[in-house]
């Protein structure tokens, strides 16, 4: 089964009457460029006075702060200057940096045009905006091979109103619409923009670069740079050279378009608007003037056509994407036909998979597959040490096992290591469990692999030899994206290797000295490095499995840091979460979620209901099971939501020590019962994944397992603890009986007394 992922994401999140269309231009020049004729104030006034809603003064390698441009007196409230710049690089490569905070650098050069475009994308995103590649057919600047390799390029100019730009093809370049189809067919998720690229506001003629010859309409709830960026990133806009739409809607059954005839007539009445003129052939059966709405699929192939001002096409999952082209034609002065267009954005097909919702939240970090399955778990977590999956040695099947090439070094997958991971994943995904991989960068001792994966600041004496991912530069991020995309493809839906839906990036990052080492680092540095790593993971994994969830990893320190570390070795979890979310919004928000570890405040005391540092407020020092509702309530905040919904939470690691004292195992089992009841009452939490399956000798003296270990072994199981049966029965028909013993241990008469959300 497949389904279309509508580009109109905002329309799915808000009632239609809360959204409106905003008309704007992303590419305009002023006298400051040296070859245009009007001041920023005069240019802004032209668009303001004609009812436009937003404008980018995209000057060549100059940043015009909108606050410095004086708008007309009594300026409309629905007119916005969006900050931007036209990055004017070598080889006639020009890119609008839309929505940036500041001047971005433009001097990067390379013999490879795609490298220049990639740099433009990187600097625009780093400044909080997005890159729009301008006029690829201007002086035949860019072809398919120049744009295909570029990562994170979301926009290009499908249409540019400058008279010297060959939108409909040249001797060397195909039409930009063919270029668009080629990029989409190659897997690039890229949207088409239209602009006027105006330079001349005082002299008016067909050969002059006059304003008003191309624009976009963006659908958003409000007129702000942030809202426009969010809608454009979602593809919720259309491009136009003259046609205005009244309705554009995609739902589960159909793709509907309706033209605004009156608004289009007003646009086409302009004496400075020129369409695309073609000769009228002998066999041209078109009326002297008319409308055509075409459903377009891969290879720029027209799948259906309606002549008229409205169309409703059945929604089909047969094609990788669908879009619509609307044409208004009329007689041209020379006897041919003059055409004006609107282009909607592609609605991409994706696997009709959603993140699974098993009937229980019970999970385990698994050691023994058969035992775990007999316990009825439906959430299973496994470590994935990326470095240990790689080798620098080519083998007899080197071509098939090739993983990535970076900085002149080739890396290959270790077949045995991948098969071992398959054997962990497959039994649980086949049984209907959600499988999570905890992505780790442990030092391997292989200098090339460690350089590929590990943050350059990682210390030689890192306590657990777990480093941060190398997210400090593009080669590191690109290697991470390449590796994770390959793993996501291997563990995609219905894969014979098994399916992974949850991907946790790193481990307990707020205590980075111990679990995500990037060297001495303050909060801002940790957040920046981690956001870049999580973003790279999200981009790679969701390209293969759009339903996958990518998780941050934090441990229970909330408003205080881990006391064993300095402020350069550990940070409060809440502060890191807030800083991460802020960076994500600035750079383009995405669907991250949270994997949290609410261990008791004292790891050797299982009775978490006694925790003193876990209080029922946002200011709590820690979040443990005692005050777990603080976490889910905090994530309800508007600035932390995505698509209007709170981020999802899994409790991906927590355990309860069985003290070697009277009633020690009883207290461990009661602690689990307490935690289980708290989690059941919190709908924002999807899983409680217990750590460990079997006691482990290298856990600092903690006895966390469902099983004890055999004396002298590392983790060979010996006997089941009292916790085992409680865990087994907690979600079955005997759950009330299995958990009842814990009530007097905790000191309550009924579970309603610990309900985090009183009914």
């Amino acid at each position: 089964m497949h389904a279309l992922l509508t580009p109109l994401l905002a329309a799915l999140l808000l009632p239609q009457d809360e959204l409106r269309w905003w008309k704007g231009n992303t590419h305009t020049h002023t006298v400051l460029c040296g070859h245009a004729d009007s001041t920023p104030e005069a240019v802004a006034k032209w668009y303001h006075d004609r009812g436009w809603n937003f404008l980018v003064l995209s000057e060549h390698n100059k940043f015009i702060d909108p606050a410095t441009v004086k708008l007309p007196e009594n300026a409309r409230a629905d007119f916005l200057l969006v900050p931007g710049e036209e990055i004017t690089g070598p080889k006639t490569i020009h890119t609008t940096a839309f929505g940036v905070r500041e001047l971005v650098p433009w001097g990067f050069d390379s013999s490879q045009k795609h490298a220049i475009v990639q740099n433009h994308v990187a600097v625009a995103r780093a400044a909080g905006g997005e890159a729009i590649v301008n006029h690829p057919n201007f002086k035949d600047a860019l072809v398919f091979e120049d744009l295909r390799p570029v990562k994170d390029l979301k926009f290009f100019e499908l249409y540019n109103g400058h008279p010297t730009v060959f939108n409909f093809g040249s001797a060397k370049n195909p039409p930009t619409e063919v270029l668009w189809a080629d990029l989409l067919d190659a897997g690039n998720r890229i949207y088409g923009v239209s602009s006027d690229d105006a330079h001349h506001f005082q002299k008016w003629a067909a050969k002059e670069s006059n304003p008003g010859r191309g624009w976009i309409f963006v659908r958003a709830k409000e007129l702000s740079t942030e809202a426009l960026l969010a809608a454009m990133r979602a593809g919720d806009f259309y491009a136009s050279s003259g046609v205005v739409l009244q309705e554009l809607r995609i739902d589960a059954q159909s793709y509907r378009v309706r033209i605004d005839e009156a608004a289009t007539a007003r646009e086409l009445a302009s004496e400075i608007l020129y369409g695309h003129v073609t000769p009228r052939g002998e066999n041209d059966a078109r009326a002297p003037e008319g409308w055509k709405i075409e459903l377009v699929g891969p290879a720029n192939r027209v799948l259906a056509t309606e002549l008229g001002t409205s169309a409703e096409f059945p929604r089909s999952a047969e094609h990788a994407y669908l879009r619509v082209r609307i044409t208004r034609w009329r007689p041209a002065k020379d006897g041919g036909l003059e055409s004006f267009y609107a282009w909607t954005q592609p609605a991409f097909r994706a696997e009709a998979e959603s993140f699974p919702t098993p009937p229980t939240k019970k999970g385990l970090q698994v050691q023994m597959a058969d035992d775990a399955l007999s316990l009825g778990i439906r959430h299973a977590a496994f470590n994935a040490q990326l470095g240990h999956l790689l080798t620098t040695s080519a083998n007899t099947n080197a071509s098939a096992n090739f993983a990535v090439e970076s900085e002149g070094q080739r890396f290959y997958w270790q077949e045995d290591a991948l098969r071992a991971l398959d054997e962990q994943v497959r039994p649980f995904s086949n049984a209907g469990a959600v499988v999570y991989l905890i992505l780790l960068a442990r030092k391997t001792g292989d200098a090339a692999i460690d350089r590929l994966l590990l943050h350059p600041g990682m210390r030689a004496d890192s306590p657990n030899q777990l480093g941060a991912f190398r997210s400090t530069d593009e080669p590191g991020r690109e290697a991470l994206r390449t590796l994770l995309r390959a793993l996501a493809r291997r563990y995609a839906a219905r894969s014979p290797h098994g399916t992974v839906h949850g991907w946790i990036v790193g481990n307990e990052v707020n205590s980075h000295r111990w679990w995500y080492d990037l060297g001495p680092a303050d909060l801002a540095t940790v957040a920046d490095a981690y956001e870049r790593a999580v973003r790279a993971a999200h981009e790679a994994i969701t390209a293969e499995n759009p339903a996958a969830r990518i998780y941050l990893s934090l441990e229970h320190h909330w408003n205080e840091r881990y006391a064993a570390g300095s402020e350069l070795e550990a940070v409060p979890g809440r502060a890191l979460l807030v800083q991460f979310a802020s960076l994500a919004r600035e750079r383009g928000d995405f669907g991250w979620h949270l994997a949290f570890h609410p261990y008791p405040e004292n790891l050797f005391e299982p009775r978490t209901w006694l925790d003193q540092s876990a209080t029922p407020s946002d200011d709590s020092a820690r979040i443990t099971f005692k005050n777990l509702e603080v976490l889910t309530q905090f994530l309800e905040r508007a600035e932390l939501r995505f698509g209007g919904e709170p981020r999802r939470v899994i409790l991906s690691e927590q355990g309860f020590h069985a003290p070697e004292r009277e009633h020690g195992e009883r207290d461990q089992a009661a602690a689990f019962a307490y935690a289980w009841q708290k989690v059941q009452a919190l709908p924002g939490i999807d899983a409680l994944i217990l750590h460990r399956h079997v006691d482990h000798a290298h856990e600092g003296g903690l006895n966390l397992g469902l099983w004890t270990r055999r004396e002298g072994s590392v983790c060979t199981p010996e006997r089941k603890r009292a916790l085992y049966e409680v865990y087994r029965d907690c979600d079955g028909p005997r759950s009330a009986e299995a958990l009842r013993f814990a009530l007097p241990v905790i000191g309550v008469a009924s579970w309603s007394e610990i309900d985090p959300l009183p009914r």
Side-chain angles (χ1 to χ4, degrees):
M1 291 281 298
H2 292 84
L4 284 177
L5 275 182
T6 169
L8 311 180
L9 298 180
L12 300 178
L13 299 173
L14 293 167
Q16 288 292 300
D17 58 6
E18 293 188 25
L19 296 163
R20 62 161 287 186
W21 292 104
W22 308 98
K23 181 182 180 181
N25 186 22
T26 63
H27 187 180
T28 312
H29 291 282
T30 76
V31 70
L32 297 180
C33 75
H35 54 274
D37 63 13
S38 296
T39 65
E41 289 75 14
V43 171
K45 186 177 188 301
W46 191 94
Y47 292 91
H48 172 274
D49 291 353
R50 287 158 181 81
W52 294 54
N53 301 116
F54 68 91
L55 174 69
V56 181
L57 298 174
S58 55
E59 209 48 271
H60 294 287
N61 300 334
K62 292 182 175 65
F63 179 76
I64 300 176
D65 184 347
T68 67
V69 179
K70 185 177 180 181
L71 295 178
E73 286 189 37
N74 302 316
R76 302 191 336 262
D78 62 346
F79 182 76
L80 174 71
L81 288 180
V82 175
E85 169 190 349
E86 185 171 23
I87 310 172
T88 307
K91 302 177 176 61
T92 321
I93 298 174
H94 298 184
T95 304
T96 291
F98 181 97
V100 293
R101 297 182 298 269
E102 59 198 3
L103 181 70
V104 299
W106 64 86
F108 178 84
D109 197 1
S110 171
S111 60
Q112 302 295 320
K113 288 185 176 182
H114 69 80
I116 299 173
V117 179
Q118 188 69 73
N119 174 262
H120 289 187
V121 172
V123 296
R125 289 168 68 91
E130 290 287 356
I132 305 171
V133 166
N134 291 337
H135 43 59
N137 281 7
F138 176 57
K139 297 184 178 179
D140 297 323
L142 294 166
V143 295
F144 169 78
E145 290 76 14
D146 300 322
L147 296 178
R148 170 66 184 95
V150 180
K151 306 296 183 184
D152 301 322
L153 176 61
K154 297 182 182 298
F155 309 105
F156 88 116
E157 279 188 346
L158 172 66
Y159 185 85
N160 179 293
H162 196 290
T164 65
V165 174
F166 297 102
N167 299 297
F168 298 94
S170 66
K172 179 180 177 182
N173 282 10
T176 52
E177 197 166 358
V178 172
L179 171 63
W180 193 18
D182 290 344
L183 290 169
L184 291 170
D185 293 348
N188 297 59
R189 292 205 170 194
I190 188 167
Y191 298 125
V193 171
S194 176
S195 78
D196 61 25
D197 194 3
H199 291 65
H200 304 134
F201 294 78
Q202 298 180 28
K203 186 177 181 182
W204 306 89
K207 66 179 181 179
E208 302 295 335
S209 178
N210 294 141
R213 294 178 179 172
W215 58 84
I216 58 176
F217 269 102
V218 181
R219 180 160 45 187
K221 185 177 181 180
E222 63 180 28
L223 182 62
S224 67
T225 299
E226 294 75 15
L228 293 172
L229 269 171
M232 290 172 65
R233 286 169 176 144
D236 200 3
F237 70 101
Y238 68 90
S240 178
S241 70
V243 174
V244 180
L245 302 183
Q246 188 166 350
E247 180 183 14
L248 172 58
R249 186 187 293 262
I250 303 173
D251 60 27
Q253 290 77 39
S254 63
Y255 199 135
R256 297 191 293 278
V257 176
R258 186 153 49 99
I259 296 162
D260 189 328
E261 295 182 70
T264 301
R266 287 193 295 272
E267 296 290 356
L268 271 54
S270 168
E271 295 183 357
I272 59 171
L273 188 65
Y274 298 90
H276 176 52
V277 176
T278 55
R280 190 179 182 94
E282 291 182 6
N283 298 319
D284 194 334
R286 284 179 291 176
E289 59 182 294
W291 304 88
K292 180 168 59 175
I293 304 174
E294 298 168 289
L295 184 69
V296 183
N300 210 33
R301 187 160 63 93
V302 176
L303 305 173
T305 301
E306 289 285 345
L307 298 179
T309 58
S310 65
E312 182 169 351
F313 300 109
R315 180 172 171 175
S316 169
E318 178 184 352
H319 305 286
Y321 61 88
L322 296 173
R323 59 185 180 85
V324 170
R325 176 175 58 230
I326 304 98
T327 306
R328 165 64 170 161
W329 76 86
R330 67 185 183 186
K333 293 179 181 179
D334 65 357
L337 294 175
E338 183 182 30
S339 296
F340 302 85
Y341 303 92
W343 301 268
T344 72
Q345 304 308 322
F348 294 102
R349 184 184 68 194
E351 292 293 330
E353 299 283 336
S354 58
F355 194 88
T357 54
T360 178
K361 299 182 180 184
K362 185 165 66 179
L364 185 64
Q365 291 191 359
V366 176
Q367 180 177 322
M368 302 175 291
D370 289 344
D371 185 62
L373 289 170
S374 73
L375 287 165
I377 74 163
R378 287 297 178 266
H379 300 268
F382 303 98
N383 290 338
Q385 313 271 10
L386 291 193
H388 294 280
L389 299 176
L390 297 175
T391 178
T392 55
S393 302
N395 50 44
T396 55
N397 200 20
S399 177
N401 290 326
F402 174 71
V404 65
E405 182 172 355
S406 182
E407 298 174 313
Q409 173 73 56
R410 294 174 71 85
F411 299 86
Y412 303 87
W413 295 109
Q414 295 227 48
E415 291 183 61
D416 290 346
L418 282 177
R419 281 197 292 267
L421 190 57
D422 294 349
E423 292 305 312
Q424 292 180 298
V425 170
R426 187 188 302 113
F428 294 92
S429 65
N430 287 350
V434 182
V435 178
Y436 306 81
L437 289 185
I438 305 164
L439 303 171
L440 302 172
R442 188 182 295 277
K443 196 168 187 178
T444 67
D446 183 307
I449 293 174
D450 290 344
R451 184 170 57 253
L452 176 77
L453 293 176
L454 295 176
H455 192 287
M458 181 183 178
R459 288 160 285 207
D461 64 345
S462 188
N464 296 297
Q465 294 297 289
L466 282 171
F469 287 110
R470 178 183 164 186
S471 60
T472 51
D473 58 12
E474 185 53 29
R477 293 189 293 272
E478 180 57 20
L480 183 61
R481 281 191 288 262
T482 301
L483 295 172
L484 293 183
R485 185 160 188 174
L487 285 178
R489 188 180 306 121
R490 185 181 186 90
Y491 298 118
R494 295 174 294 281
S495 165
H497 304 289
T499 300
V500 175
H501 278 99
W503 304 75
I504 303 168
V505 182
N507 183 54
E508 299 190 341
V509 175
N510 48 327
S511 289
H512 57 90
R513 171 75 171 98
W514 289 266
W515 304 109
Y516 195 76
D517 192 0
L518 65 163
D522 60 13
L523 173 63
T525 303
V526 176
D528 177 73
Y530 194 40
E531 193 276 347
R532 294 181 188 279
V534 176
R535 180 180 294 275
H538 184 272
E539 291 168 349
I541 293 164
T542 58
E544 296 296 330
N545 180 4
R549 288 180 182 166
I550 317 302
Y551 296 88
L552 284 60
S553 178
L554 299 177
E555 46 89 357
H556 67 181
H557 288 93
W558 187 239
N559 279 293
E560 68 177 18
R561 67 174 186 272
Y562 180 37
S566 72
E567 63 183 6
L568 297 180
E569 294 176 324
V571 297
R574 173 182 170 175
L576 178 56
L577 184 64
V578 169
Q579 183 79 355
F580 181 102
S582 176
L583 286 173
R585 290 194 303 274
E586 290 177 15
R587 296 167 179 171
D589 211 357
F590 60 98
W592 56 265
H593 301 277
L594 181 60
F596 197 77
H597 301 174
Y599 279 101
E601 68 177 11
N602 178 355
L603 299 186
F604 287 89
E605 174 51 74
R607 294 176 295 177
T608 188
W609 56 88
L610 301 177
D611 292 343
Q612 297 299 303
S613 59
T615 59
S617 73
D618 287 342
D619 297 323
S620 179
R622 289 180 176 87
I623 290 179
T624 72
F625 284 99
K626 181 180 180 181
N627 64 340
L628 191 56
E629 63 274 16
V630 170
L631 180 64
T632 54
Q633 289 168 0
F634 188 80
L635 290 172
E636 292 278 351
R637 294 185 174 198
E639 67 271 21
L640 296 178
R641 291 173 175 245
F642 183 67
E645 297 295 326
R647 315 285 175 162
R648 303 304 302 175
V649 177
I650 59 171
L651 307 179
S652 58
E653 179 189 322
Q654 54 276 304
F656 303 97
H657 175 60
E660 294 179 354
R661 68 186 185 210
E662 185 180 9
H663 305 309
E665 288 199 13
R666 180 206 65 181
D667 290 346
Q668 180 197 38
F672 173 78
Y674 176 88
W676 180 255
Q677 292 293 80
K678 292 290 289 275
V679 168
Q680 291 301 100
L682 292 170
I685 295 178
D686 296 321
L688 190 164
I689 300 173
L690 194 67
H691 174 85
R692 284 186 176 260
H693 201 160
V694 181
D695 286 350
H696 199 284
H698 301 154
E699 196 110 43
L702 289 168
N703 302 317
L704 302 173
L706 294 166
W707 291 73
T708 65
R709 66 180 176 88
R710 185 175 302 162
E711 186 174 353
S713 73
V714 175
C715 57
T716 302
E718 184 180 47
R719 67 170 178 85
K720 300 171 183 175
R721 281 212 173 88
L723 170 60
Y724 188 96
E725 291 186 1
V726 176
Y727 180 85
R728 181 193 63 201
D729 296 335
C730 68
D731 57 346
R734 296 185 61 252
S735 61
E737 178 185 348
L739 301 175
R740 188 178 299 118
F741 81 97
L743 292 171
V745 179
I746 299 166
V748 295
S750 71
W751 292 117
S752 63
E753 293 182 48
I754 68 162
D755 192 341
L757 302 174
R759 304 301 192 263

